[in-house]
Amino acid sequence: GLCRMNKHLVAPLTAGILLALAGAAQAATRTSTFNVTATVNTNCVITTPDLAFGVFDGLVDTSATSTITVRCSNGTPYTVDLSAGSSGDVTNRTMTSPSSAVALRYNLFTDVAHTQVWANGQNGTGRASGNGGGMGTPRTHTVYGFLDADLNTGEVDAGSYTDIITATVNY
């Protein structure tokens, strides 16, 4: 009786194992694809270090430079304007001091000869411009500052003079 029972148990077990192995060998896979997208908007960024004239003795013209850096998306045309500062007049920019009622006159130019006053978008004769080469490719523009001794012969007091200029990249 015992042998007969084992035969009946062993045969279905063996058949079940063989079916499981056959199913594993016939496993299937499916694939699907998807798009990866991005949009690049026209963009520019601008960086502006300070322009420092240093010590002005009131007798000798003083020049100084600074370099504006513009980074724009590739092929993007741009221009750079500089505000008039505290004077409100690009042809007569001034620095002021808390210890003086008299302003110190200066100006900013696009050229080393100081003939092209850097414009504010409305007034002035010069401005920087270019085409972006990609955000990783900086374009530089020199700001030529000039402190004319002949324009500052009045009662200019000793002290520290400052002005705040806003640089704007238009694109």
Side-chain angles (χ1 to χ4, degrees), residues 85-134:
S86 61
S87 74
D89 179 4
V90 296
T91 61
N92 185 30
R93 288 180 170 109
T94 59
M95 291 181 272
T96 58
S97 172
S99 62
S100 176
V102 178
L104 200 57
R105 291 179 62 188
Y106 76 98
N107 221 322
L108 304 172
F109 301 88
T110 58
D111 63 322
V112 70
H114 307 132
T115 62
Q116 301 294 312
V117 174
W118 203 305
N120 66 350
Q122 297 164 345
N123 300 311
T125 54
R127 69 184 342 174
S129 62
N131 272 326

Side-chain angles (χ1 to χ4, degrees), residues 15-88:
I17 292 172
L18 290 174
L19 279 174
L21 290 174
Q26 294 179 3
T29 60
R30 301 284 187 254
T31 62
S32 180
T33 60
F34 62 95
N35 294 321
V36 177
T37 64
T39 301
V40 177
N41 288 330
T42 301
N43 189 25
C44 290
V45 294
I46 186 170
T47 54
T48 54
D50 294 340
L51 185 143
F53 284 107
V55 176
F56 176 63
D57 65 9
L59 300 172
V60 177
D61 295 343
T62 303
S63 296
T65 61
S66 180
T67 303
I68 294 173
T69 302
V70 178
R71 297 172 193 270
C72 291
S73 48
N74 194 38
T76 302
Y78 67 88
T79 58
V80 178
D81 294 325
L82 298 182
S83 70
S86 61
S87 74

